[in-house]
Amino acid sequence: MPNSPDSPVTPDAPDAPGPRLTVAVLGPGGVGGLLAALLSRSGHRVVCLAGEETAHTLRTTGIQVRSALFGDFTAPVDAGTALREPVDVCLVTVKATALDAALTRIPPAALGDALLVPFLNGVEHPALLRARYAPDRVAPSVIRVESTRTAPGVIEHTSPFAEIDLTGAKVPRPRLEALAEALTAAGPATRVLDDETAVLWAKMAFLAPFALLTTRYALPLGEARTRHREELASLVAETAAVSRACGAPADPAQALARYDAFPPAAKSSMQRDAEAGRPLELDAIGGALLRAADRHGVPVPVTARIVRELREAGR
Protein backbone atom coordinates (compact mmCIF):
# COMPACT_ATOMS: atom_id res chain seq x y z
CA MET A 1 0.00 0.00 0.00
CA PRO A 2 2.44 2.68 -1.12
CA ASN A 3 1.86 6.38 -0.67
CA SER A 4 0.40 8.35 -3.53
CA PRO A 5 2.97 10.38 -5.52
CA ASP A 6 1.15 13.43 -4.22
CA SER A 7 1.54 12.40 -0.59
CA PRO A 8 2.92 15.29 1.48
CA VAL A 9 6.36 15.10 2.99
CA THR A 10 7.41 16.95 6.10
CA PRO A 11 10.93 18.22 5.25
CA ASP A 12 12.05 18.84 8.81
CA ALA A 13 10.86 15.53 10.26
CA PRO A 14 13.35 14.23 12.84
CA ASP A 15 14.97 10.86 12.35
CA ALA A 16 13.48 8.01 14.36
CA PRO A 17 15.52 7.14 17.46
CA GLY A 18 16.80 3.59 17.59
CA PRO A 19 15.17 1.06 15.25
CA ARG A 20 12.67 2.37 12.72
CA LEU A 21 9.32 0.86 13.67
CA THR A 22 6.41 -0.12 11.49
CA VAL A 23 3.28 0.89 13.37
CA ALA A 24 -0.32 0.11 12.48
CA VAL A 25 -3.01 2.45 13.82
CA LEU A 26 -6.50 0.99 14.04
CA GLY A 27 -8.86 3.97 14.01
CA PRO A 28 -7.00 7.14 12.91
CA GLY A 29 -9.37 9.55 14.70
CA GLY A 30 -8.51 12.23 17.23
CA VAL A 31 -6.05 10.13 19.24
CA GLY A 32 -4.98 7.64 16.59
CA GLY A 33 -4.54 10.28 13.92
CA LEU A 34 -2.40 12.42 16.19
CA LEU A 35 -0.15 9.50 17.17
CA ALA A 36 0.08 8.31 13.56
CA ALA A 37 1.16 11.75 12.35
CA LEU A 38 3.69 12.27 15.14
CA LEU A 39 5.27 8.85 14.63
CA SER A 40 5.43 9.37 10.86
CA ARG A 41 7.04 12.77 11.29
CA SER A 42 9.57 11.17 13.62
CA GLY A 43 10.65 8.75 10.87
CA HIS A 44 8.64 5.62 11.57
CA ARG A 45 6.51 3.85 8.99
CA VAL A 46 2.82 4.14 9.80
CA VAL A 47 -0.07 2.14 8.34
CA CYS A 48 -3.55 3.42 9.23
CA LEU A 49 -6.47 0.96 9.19
CA ALA A 50 -9.89 2.43 8.42
CA GLY A 51 -12.80 2.32 5.99
CA GLU A 52 -12.02 2.56 2.28
CA GLU A 53 -12.98 6.22 1.93
CA THR A 54 -10.89 7.33 4.89
CA ALA A 55 -7.98 5.10 3.84
CA HIS A 56 -8.03 6.65 0.37
CA THR A 57 -8.00 10.16 1.84
CA LEU A 58 -5.07 9.35 4.11
CA ARG A 59 -3.06 7.77 1.29
CA THR A 60 -3.68 10.83 -0.86
CA THR A 61 -3.31 13.75 1.52
CA GLY A 62 -1.63 12.34 4.63
CA ILE A 63 -2.67 13.52 8.09
CA GLN A 64 -2.84 17.24 8.82
CA VAL A 65 -2.28 18.24 12.45
CA ARG A 66 -2.97 21.58 14.08
CA SER A 67 -1.39 21.75 17.51
CA ALA A 68 -0.05 24.54 19.69
CA LEU A 69 2.19 21.97 21.40
CA PHE A 70 3.53 20.03 18.40
CA GLY A 71 3.08 22.63 15.66
CA ASP A 72 1.05 22.55 12.47
CA PHE A 73 2.26 19.93 9.99
CA THR A 74 1.24 17.27 7.50
CA ALA A 75 2.65 13.74 7.69
CA PRO A 76 2.45 10.97 5.07
CA VAL A 77 1.03 7.59 6.03
CA ASP A 78 0.13 4.36 4.30
CA ALA A 79 -3.47 3.22 4.76
CA GLY A 80 -5.71 0.24 4.10
CA THR A 81 -8.88 -1.44 5.27
CA ALA A 82 -7.14 -4.37 6.99
CA LEU A 83 -3.71 -5.40 8.23
CA ARG A 84 -1.97 -7.35 5.48
CA GLU A 85 1.71 -7.05 6.37
CA PRO A 86 3.97 -7.56 9.39
CA VAL A 87 4.18 -4.67 11.86
CA ASP A 88 6.02 -4.11 15.12
CA VAL A 89 3.15 -2.46 16.96
CA CYS A 90 -0.57 -1.98 16.45
CA LEU A 91 -2.18 0.92 18.30
CA VAL A 92 -5.91 0.44 18.90
CA THR A 93 -7.54 3.87 19.11
CA VAL A 94 -11.19 3.25 18.26
CA LYS A 95 -14.09 3.93 20.61
CA ALA A 96 -15.20 1.02 22.78
CA THR A 97 -18.53 1.01 20.93
CA ALA A 98 -16.72 0.25 17.65
CA LEU A 99 -14.16 -2.22 18.99
CA ASP A 100 -15.76 -5.52 17.95
CA ALA A 101 -16.28 -4.40 14.35
CA ALA A 102 -12.86 -2.75 14.14
CA LEU A 103 -11.01 -5.88 15.27
CA THR A 104 -11.97 -7.61 12.03
CA ARG A 105 -9.35 -5.33 10.42
CA ILE A 106 -6.54 -7.02 12.39
CA PRO A 107 -6.78 -10.82 12.02
CA PRO A 108 -4.71 -12.62 14.68
CA ALA A 109 -2.60 -14.32 12.02
CA ALA A 110 -1.74 -10.98 10.43
CA LEU A 111 -0.87 -9.41 13.78
CA GLY A 112 1.54 -12.21 14.58
CA ASP A 113 4.14 -11.23 17.18
CA ALA A 114 3.36 -7.52 17.10
CA LEU A 115 2.50 -5.61 20.26
CA LEU A 116 -1.18 -4.72 20.53
CA VAL A 117 -1.53 -1.44 22.42
CA PRO A 118 -5.13 -0.41 23.11
CA PHE A 119 -5.86 3.17 24.17
CA LEU A 120 -9.48 2.55 25.14
CA ASN A 121 -11.65 3.92 27.91
CA GLY A 122 -12.76 1.48 30.60
CA VAL A 123 -11.14 -1.52 32.26
CA GLU A 124 -12.73 -4.58 30.65
CA HIS A 125 -11.19 -4.54 27.15
CA PRO A 126 -7.85 -6.21 28.08
CA ALA A 127 -9.60 -9.52 28.80
CA LEU A 128 -11.43 -9.39 25.47
CA LEU A 129 -8.22 -8.67 23.56
CA ARG A 130 -6.22 -11.35 25.37
CA ALA A 131 -8.87 -13.91 24.46
CA ARG A 132 -8.41 -13.05 20.77
CA TYR A 133 -4.67 -12.31 20.51
CA ALA A 134 -1.49 -13.55 22.21
CA PRO A 135 -1.91 -12.53 25.89
CA ASP A 136 1.78 -11.65 26.28
CA ARG A 137 1.58 -9.16 23.42
CA VAL A 138 -1.42 -7.14 24.69
CA ALA A 139 -0.25 -3.94 26.40
CA PRO A 140 -3.24 -2.00 27.82
CA SER A 141 -2.22 1.64 28.05
CA VAL A 142 -3.72 5.07 28.62
CA ILE A 143 -3.29 8.47 27.04
CA ARG A 144 -4.16 11.86 28.49
CA VAL A 145 -4.89 14.28 25.66
CA GLU A 146 -7.60 16.36 24.02
CA SER A 147 -7.50 15.71 20.30
CA THR A 148 -10.32 15.69 17.77
CA ARG A 149 -10.70 14.55 14.19
CA THR A 150 -12.52 17.39 12.43
CA ALA A 151 -12.50 15.60 9.05
CA PRO A 152 -10.81 12.48 7.68
CA GLY A 153 -7.09 13.12 8.02
CA VAL A 154 -7.51 16.43 9.85
CA ILE A 155 -6.62 16.50 13.55
CA GLU A 156 -6.98 19.33 16.06
CA HIS A 157 -4.89 18.82 19.19
CA THR A 158 -6.09 21.34 21.77
CA SER A 159 -4.63 20.26 25.12
CA PRO A 160 -1.28 21.69 26.27
CA PHE A 161 -0.19 18.13 27.04
CA ALA A 162 -0.09 14.60 25.63
CA GLU A 163 0.97 11.96 28.13
CA ILE A 164 1.06 8.18 27.78
CA ASP A 165 1.39 5.38 30.32
CA LEU A 166 2.38 2.05 28.79
CA THR A 167 1.82 -1.12 30.73
CA GLY A 168 1.26 -4.83 30.22
CA ALA A 169 1.53 -7.42 32.94
CA LYS A 170 2.99 -10.14 30.69
CA VAL A 171 4.59 -8.07 27.92
CA PRO A 172 8.40 -8.21 27.73
CA ARG A 173 9.68 -5.01 29.32
CA PRO A 174 12.26 -4.26 26.58
CA ARG A 175 9.50 -4.07 23.98
CA LEU A 176 7.55 -1.59 26.07
CA GLU A 177 10.68 0.46 26.69
CA ALA A 178 11.48 0.59 22.97
CA LEU A 179 7.97 1.80 22.17
CA ALA A 180 8.12 4.36 24.98
CA GLU A 181 11.39 5.71 23.56
CA ALA A 182 9.86 6.05 20.10
CA LEU A 183 6.71 7.76 21.39
CA THR A 184 8.61 10.18 23.61
CA ALA A 185 10.91 11.15 20.77
CA ALA A 186 7.86 11.71 18.56
CA GLY A 187 6.25 14.05 21.10
CA PRO A 188 4.04 12.54 23.83
CA ALA A 189 5.72 12.16 27.21
CA THR A 190 5.66 8.39 27.72
CA ARG A 191 6.53 6.18 30.65
CA VAL A 192 6.37 2.44 31.33
CA LEU A 193 4.60 1.41 34.54
CA ASP A 194 4.46 -2.02 36.16
CA ASP A 195 0.99 -2.07 37.73
CA GLU A 196 -1.54 -2.54 34.93
CA THR A 197 -4.52 -2.43 37.31
CA ALA A 198 -3.37 0.83 38.85
CA VAL A 199 -2.81 2.42 35.43
CA LEU A 200 -6.24 1.51 34.07
CA TRP A 201 -8.12 2.43 37.23
CA ALA A 202 -6.26 5.72 37.62
CA LYS A 203 -7.82 6.84 34.34
CA MET A 204 -11.19 5.26 35.13
CA ALA A 205 -11.35 6.97 38.54
CA PHE A 206 -10.92 10.35 36.88
CA LEU A 207 -12.86 9.75 33.67
CA ALA A 208 -16.05 8.13 35.01
CA PRO A 209 -17.28 11.01 37.22
CA PHE A 210 -16.28 13.57 34.58
CA ALA A 211 -17.99 11.72 31.71
CA LEU A 212 -21.14 10.73 33.58
CA LEU A 213 -21.84 14.10 35.15
CA THR A 214 -21.13 16.31 32.12
CA THR A 215 -23.13 14.03 29.84
CA ARG A 216 -26.08 13.65 32.22
CA TYR A 217 -26.54 17.40 32.55
CA ALA A 218 -25.16 18.46 29.14
CA LEU A 219 -22.87 20.97 30.82
CA PRO A 220 -19.17 21.77 30.50
CA LEU A 221 -17.07 20.86 33.50
CA GLY A 222 -17.02 24.35 35.01
CA GLU A 223 -20.79 24.53 35.33
CA ALA A 224 -21.17 20.87 36.27
CA ARG A 225 -18.66 21.05 39.12
CA THR A 226 -20.38 24.16 40.50
CA ARG A 227 -24.08 23.42 40.01
CA HIS A 228 -23.81 19.69 40.82
CA ARG A 229 -20.98 19.70 43.33
CA GLU A 230 -22.56 17.22 45.72
CA GLU A 231 -23.17 14.69 42.96
CA LEU A 232 -19.62 15.13 41.65
CA ALA A 233 -18.19 14.51 45.11
CA SER A 234 -20.37 11.39 45.47
CA LEU A 235 -19.33 10.06 42.07
CA VAL A 236 -15.68 10.62 42.91
CA ALA A 237 -16.01 8.89 46.29
CA GLU A 238 -17.87 5.91 44.82
CA THR A 239 -15.43 5.46 41.94
CA ALA A 240 -12.48 5.69 44.33
CA ALA A 241 -14.03 3.03 46.55
CA VAL A 242 -14.45 0.66 43.61
CA SER A 243 -10.91 1.39 42.44
CA ARG A 244 -9.50 0.50 45.85
CA ALA A 245 -11.59 -2.68 45.95
CA CYS A 246 -10.06 -3.68 42.62
CA GLY A 247 -6.56 -3.20 44.03
CA ALA A 248 -5.72 0.27 42.73
CA PRO A 249 -5.02 3.32 44.91
CA ALA A 250 -7.39 6.29 44.65
CA ASP A 251 -7.54 9.67 46.37
CA PRO A 252 -10.96 11.42 46.12
CA ALA A 253 -9.61 14.76 47.38
CA GLN A 254 -6.88 14.75 44.73
CA ALA A 255 -9.43 13.90 42.03
CA LEU A 256 -11.67 16.80 43.03
CA ALA A 257 -8.67 19.13 42.98
CA ARG A 258 -7.87 18.00 39.42
CA TYR A 259 -11.43 18.74 38.30
CA ASP A 260 -11.23 22.19 39.87
CA ALA A 261 -7.97 22.88 38.03
CA PHE A 262 -9.39 21.95 34.62
CA PRO A 263 -10.51 24.74 32.26
CA PRO A 264 -14.21 25.46 32.90
CA ALA A 265 -15.10 24.94 29.23
CA ALA A 266 -13.72 21.37 29.21
CA LYS A 267 -16.10 18.68 28.00
CA SER A 268 -15.77 14.92 28.26
CA SER A 269 -15.53 12.85 25.09
CA MET A 270 -18.78 11.15 26.08
CA GLN A 271 -20.52 14.53 26.23
CA ARG A 272 -19.14 15.45 22.81
CA ASP A 273 -20.42 12.15 21.43
CA ALA A 274 -23.86 12.88 22.91
CA GLU A 275 -23.89 16.33 21.32
CA ALA A 276 -22.99 14.84 17.94
CA GLY A 277 -25.54 12.03 18.19
CA ARG A 278 -22.87 9.33 18.23
CA PRO A 279 -23.07 6.12 20.30
CA LEU A 280 -21.85 6.62 23.86
CA GLU A 281 -19.24 4.60 25.73
CA LEU A 282 -21.71 4.40 28.59
CA ASP A 283 -21.38 0.66 29.07
CA ALA A 284 -17.58 0.68 28.82
CA ILE A 285 -17.37 3.38 31.49
CA GLY A 286 -20.51 3.47 33.64
CA GLY A 287 -21.50 -0.15 33.04
CA ALA A 288 -18.01 -1.45 33.78
CA LEU A 289 -17.91 0.59 36.98
CA LEU A 290 -21.25 -0.83 38.14
CA ARG A 291 -20.17 -4.40 37.34
CA ALA A 292 -16.93 -3.99 39.31
CA ALA A 293 -18.86 -2.48 42.22
CA ASP A 294 -21.26 -5.44 42.19
CA ARG A 295 -18.41 -7.97 42.16
CA HIS A 296 -16.80 -6.39 45.20
CA GLY A 297 -19.97 -5.45 47.08
CA VAL A 298 -19.29 -1.70 46.95
CA PRO A 299 -22.42 0.51 47.14
CA VAL A 300 -22.55 3.11 44.34
CA PRO A 301 -26.06 4.62 44.48
CA VAL A 302 -25.30 7.92 42.74
CA THR A 303 -23.37 6.25 39.93
CA ALA A 304 -26.16 3.70 39.46
CA ARG A 305 -28.81 6.42 39.29
CA ILE A 306 -26.95 8.54 36.73
CA VAL A 307 -26.15 5.55 34.53
CA ARG A 308 -29.81 4.50 34.71
CA GLU A 309 -30.99 8.02 33.81
CA LEU A 310 -28.63 8.17 30.83
CA ARG A 311 -29.85 4.77 29.62
CA GLU A 312 -33.49 5.78 30.05
CA ALA A 313 -32.80 8.92 28.02
CA GLY A 314 -31.68 6.70 25.17
CA ARG A 315 -28.00 7.39 25.69
Side-chain angles (χ1 to χ4, degrees), residues 51-144:
E52 182 55 54
E53 186 175 344
T54 296
H56 174 75
T57 298
L58 298 183
R59 286 195 300 267
T60 303
T61 65
I63 299 178
Q64 305 168 52
V65 173
R66 292 191 286 268
S67 169
L69 181 62
F70 300 124
D72 296 348
F73 66 96
T74 300
V77 295
D78 284 344
T81 58
L83 184 62
R84 298 186 177 91
E85 61 180 282
V87 297
D88 299 297
V89 180
C90 180
L91 308 181
V92 180
T93 53
V94 297
K95 295 278 190 178
T97 52
L99 181 61
D100 286 342
L103 290 180
T104 62
R105 301 190 190 280
I106 45 173
L111 186 66
D113 190 50
L115 284 188
L116 189 72
V117 185
F119 291 102
L120 275 76
N121 291 326
V123 294
E124 295 179 336
H125 57 276
L128 182 152
L129 294 171
R130 287 181 172 130
R132 185 182 179 98
Y133 304 99
D136 63 347
R137 294 297 180 263
V138 177
S141 302
V142 303
I143 183 169
R144 292 175 289 278

Side-chain angles (χ1 to χ4, degrees), residues 17 26 44-45 95 156 182 200 213-214 217 221 233 236 249 266 288:
L26 178 63
H44 301 284
R45 181 162 180 269
K95 295 278 190 178
E156 294 232 12
L200 294 177
L213 195 69
T214 57
Y217 293 108
L221 181 58
V236 168

Side-chain angles (χ1 to χ4, degrees), residues 228-253:
H228 301 280
R229 185 73 178 188
E230 186 175 338
E231 283 176 284
L232 177 59
S234 295
L235 286 169
V236 168
E238 291 176 4
T239 307
V242 177
S243 177
R244 288 192 294 268
C246 291
D251 184 343

Side-chain angles (χ1 to χ4, degrees), residues 10 52 75 121 159 219 227 229 260 270 290 311:
T10 305
E52 182 55 54
N121 291 326
S159 59
L219 293 171
R227 294 168 57 180
R229 185 73 178 188
D260 288 337
M270 186 188 290
L290 294 181
R311 285 175 172 161

Side-chain angles (χ1 to χ4, degrees), residues 187-232:
T190 305
R191 57 184 182 173
V192 177
L193 299 177
D194 293 326
D195 193 333
E196 178 180 310
T197 299
V199 167
L200 294 177
W201 273 100
K203 181 171 184 180
M204 181 73 144
F206 178 80
L207 176 63
F210 179 27
L212 295 174
L213 195 69
T214 57
T215 307
R216 169 63 182 84
Y217 293 108
L219 293 171
L221 181 58
E223 290 184 69
R225 71 192 177 202
T226 301
R227 294 168 57 180
H228 301 280
R229 185 73 178 188
E230 186 175 338
E231 283 176 284
L232 177 59

Side-chain angles (χ1 to χ4, degrees), residues 30-31 34-35 38 41 65 67-71 119 142-147 155-165 180 183-191:
V31 170
L34 177 65
L35 295 178
L38 290 170
R41 183 173 70 164
V65 173
S67 169
L69 181 62
F70 300 124
F119 291 102
V142 303
I143 183 169
R144 292 175 289 278
V145 70
E146 276 193 64
S147 186
I155 307 298
E156 294 232 12
H157 169 229
T158 54
S159 59
F161 55 83
E163 302 166 348
I164 293 173
D165 290 340
L183 287 167
T184 296
T190 305
R191 57 184 182 173

